[in-house]
Structures are given as C-alpha cells and as structure tokens.
C-alpha cells in the first residue's frame, strides 16, 4: 500500500509539471485546443447529414452516435491530457531515451507515459463533453455511469497505446505502424456497433478494442447494465495489466542508446 501511495504522489508531481509545461505558451495551447474542437465538429457533420436523411441506422439514432462520439473524444482526450507520453513511447525506445529513466527509483513505464501532456487532448476532452451534453444522455442520474465509462475507456486507450507503441522493443522504426494501429482503433470505435459482425466484431473487442472504448460504454450509459459495467471495468483493467506485462517484457530486450541525461 505504501508503494502505491508513493507512486500516486509521484504521478501527481509529474502531472503538475507536464500541465505547467503544456500551458506555458498559452496562445499555442489555446490554438491547439480550438483546432481539435473544430476538427471533431467537422468530422461529425457527416453524421448530422446522414441522420437527417435516414432517421436511424440499424436501431441507432443521432443521439446514440453523439453519445458514442462524445465518449471516444472525451476519454481519448482525458488520456492524452493525463498520460500523453504514450504516443512518444516508440521514439523514446528507438532513440535510447529510456536510459536515464532506468536509473530512477520510480516505475519506468509510469515515468514515460506521464511525463508529457498533449494540448490537443484538452480540445478532445472539451468537445467530447459537449457531445455528451448534446446527446441528452448526460444527466444528473447518469453522471456516475458516464464518469465510470470515461475512466474505463481512457484506461483502455492507455493500455492499447502502450502495447502498440511498445512494438519498438521488438521491431525498429515502428512509429508509423504504431500510430496507424492507434488511428485504426479510433476510426473503428467511431462507427455504430451494428455495422460490424462476425470475426470483425471479435477483433473489435480484442486486438482493436473499439468495443471496450466505445460500444460497451454506450450500452452502460443507455441501459444502466450492471453486467456490461462489470465487463467494461474488467476489460480496462485487463488491457492495462497486459500493457504493463508487454512493456516489462520489452524492457528486458531493450538495448541502451548510450544517452546521458539527468532527471530531477
């Protein structure tokens, strides 16, 4: 218990430092946020036009897609804001930047993913919360379920990112591949669940956990299903544990980049 408390305190200190760094240039920070909000709004125009013509899509209405889109944007933004270093993990491994981190007494993975905060993540978070409000599914009674789903989805995004970007331990120059895998996950998670079936649906709950970051949270919020909520939490914890195991396994294969650095 003491080690968990110390790691939590360490994470809090890292987070404060990364938030100060990302907001230091206030103009750039606000511009990045604004562009991400506009990007998300422009992407959703397609769904507004589509549902204005068809009304519903295999049982899904516009409010359901707004809920899905809001959940994905808000949870991914939350992950980017609190653990944005995950998207730089491949570069850190390739360029030997783990060397100074390995000498630190704190967990290397925690240090790596928590050392950065992405300004665009705050734009995703802001637009996602906006979509959740517009969908009509965010109410006082549903707020605890929404918060639980946001946290579980963000943890799944984090775990998936660690797995994808840790490929650099085994394959060199995987930054492009890892980013593409991450983008494919996000892309599939933004489409209604009834569009997929069979083997593809199985993949969307395993290799590309779009089901865990989007479909299950939507079910939990809409239907208040205890079993779906339990499955969602178990899946998030499982992905995070898998990610930690993959990273630790890769770390045993890591070759030093002969980089000298000092971390305070």
């Amino acid at each position: 218990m003491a080690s968990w408390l110390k790691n939590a305190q360490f994470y809090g200190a890292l987070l404060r430092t990364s938030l100060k760094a990302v907001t230091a240039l206030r103009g750039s920070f606000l511009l990045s946020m604004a562009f991400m909000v506009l990007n998300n709004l422009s992407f959703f125009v397609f769904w507004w036009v589509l549902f204005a013509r068809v009304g519903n899509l295999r049982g899904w209405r516009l409010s359901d897609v707004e809920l899905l889109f809001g959940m994905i944007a808000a949870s991914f933004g939350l992950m980017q804001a609190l653990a944005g270093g995950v998207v730089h993990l491949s570069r850190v491994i390739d360029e030997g930047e783990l060397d100074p981190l390995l000498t630190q007494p704190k967990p290397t993975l925690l240090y790596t993913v928590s050392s950065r905060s992405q300004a665009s993540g705050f734009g995703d978070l802001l637009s996602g919360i906006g979509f959740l409000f517009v969908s009509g599914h965010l109410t006082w009674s549903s707020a605890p379920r929404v918060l639980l789903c946001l946290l579980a989805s963000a943890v799944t995004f984090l775990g998936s990112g660690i797995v994808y970007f840790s490929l650099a331990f085994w394959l060199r120059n995987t930054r492009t591949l890892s980013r593409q895998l991450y983008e494919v996950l996000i892309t599939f998670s933004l489409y209604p669940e009834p569009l997929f079936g069979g083997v593809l649906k199985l993949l969307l709950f395993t290799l590309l956990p779009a089901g865990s970051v989007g479909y299950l949270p939507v079910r939990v919020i809409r239907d208040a299903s205890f079993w779906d909520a339990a499955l969602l939490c178990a899946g998030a914890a499982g992905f995070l544990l898998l990610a930690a195991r993959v990273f630790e396994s890769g770390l045993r294969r890591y070759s030093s980049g002969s980089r000298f650095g000092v971390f305070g």
Side-chain angles (χ1 to χ4, degrees), residues 34 57 59 90 132 134 162 185 223 226 244 246 258:
L57 186 63
S90 290
L132 290 173
V134 170
I162 293 170
L185 166 61
D223 307 328
F226 170 79
V246 169
S258 298

Side-chain angles (χ1 to χ4, degrees), residues 65-93:
V65 180
E66 289 171 339
L67 172 60
L68 175 66
F69 195 90
M71 178 57 57
I72 297 301
S75 59
F76 185 74
L78 182 64
M79 187 278 297
Q80 288 273 72
L82 301 183
V86 67
V87 297
H88 299 284
L89 190 54
S90 290
R91 179 186 58 77
V92 168
I93 295 168

Side-chain angles (χ1 to χ4, degrees), residues 88-102:
H88 299 284
L89 190 54
S90 290
R91 179 186 58 77
V92 168
I93 295 168
D94 283 336
E95 297 183 2
E97 293 184 15
L98 284 178
D99 292 0
L101 301 183
L102 292 174

Side-chain angles (χ1 to χ4, degrees), residues 54-70:
V54 302
N56 72 82
L57 186 63
R58 295 186 179 181
W60 276 52
R61 298 186 178 277
L62 179 61
S63 61
D64 298 319
V65 180
E66 289 171 339
L67 172 60
L68 175 66
F69 195 90

Side-chain angles (χ1 to χ4, degrees), residues 10 14 101 104 106-115 263-264:
F10 174 66
L14 275 179
L101 301 183
Q104 302 298 312
K106 300 300 182 182
T108 304
L109 179 59
L110 178 63
Y111 213 138
T112 307
V113 301
S114 306
S115 59
F263 282 76

Side-chain angles (χ1 to χ4, degrees), residues 20-174:
K20 286 180 182 178
V22 78
T23 57
L25 299 175
R26 198 160 293 181
S28 176
F29 173 73
L30 294 175
L31 192 61
S32 295
M33 280 185 59
F35 272 118
M36 185 52 66
V37 171
L38 290 174
N39 176 74
N40 291 342
L41 288 174
S42 63
F43 180 85
F44 203 81
V45 167
F46 164 78
W47 293 110
W48 277 322
V49 173
L50 177 63
F51 279 95
R53 296 189 176 189
V54 302
N56 72 82
L57 186 63
R58 295 186 179 181
W60 276 52
R61 298 186 178 277
L62 179 61
S63 61
D64 298 319
V65 180
E66 289 171 339
L67 172 60
L68 175 66
F69 195 90
M71 178 57 57
I72 297 301
S75 59
F76 185 74
L78 182 64
M79 187 278 297
Q80 288 273 72
L82 301 183
V86 67
V87 297
H88 299 284
L89 190 54
S90 290
R91 179 186 58 77
V92 168
I93 295 168
D94 283 336
E95 297 183 2
E97 293 184 15
L98 284 178
D99 292 0
L101 301 183
L102 292 174
T103 64
Q104 302 298 312
K106 300 300 182 182
T108 304
L109 179 59
L110 178 63
Y111 213 138
T112 307
V113 301
S114 306
S115 59
R116 292 173 183 264
S117 182
Q118 305 293 331
S120 60
F122 292 90
D124 275 323
L125 181 58
L126 180 63
S127 59
I129 292 173
F131 277 110
L132 290 173
F133 271 111
V134 170
S135 73
H137 290 283
L138 181 56
T139 62
W140 285 111
S141 60
S142 69
R145 298 199 304 276
V146 172
L147 180 59
L148 173 68
C149 291
L150 277 176
L151 294 174
S153 183
V155 167
T156 304
F157 267 126
L158 175 61
S160 302
I162 293 170
V163 172
Y164 297 155
F165 289 99
S166 291
L167 290 175
F169 283 121
W170 291 271
L171 305 169
R172 290 299 177 186
N173 299 319
T174 61

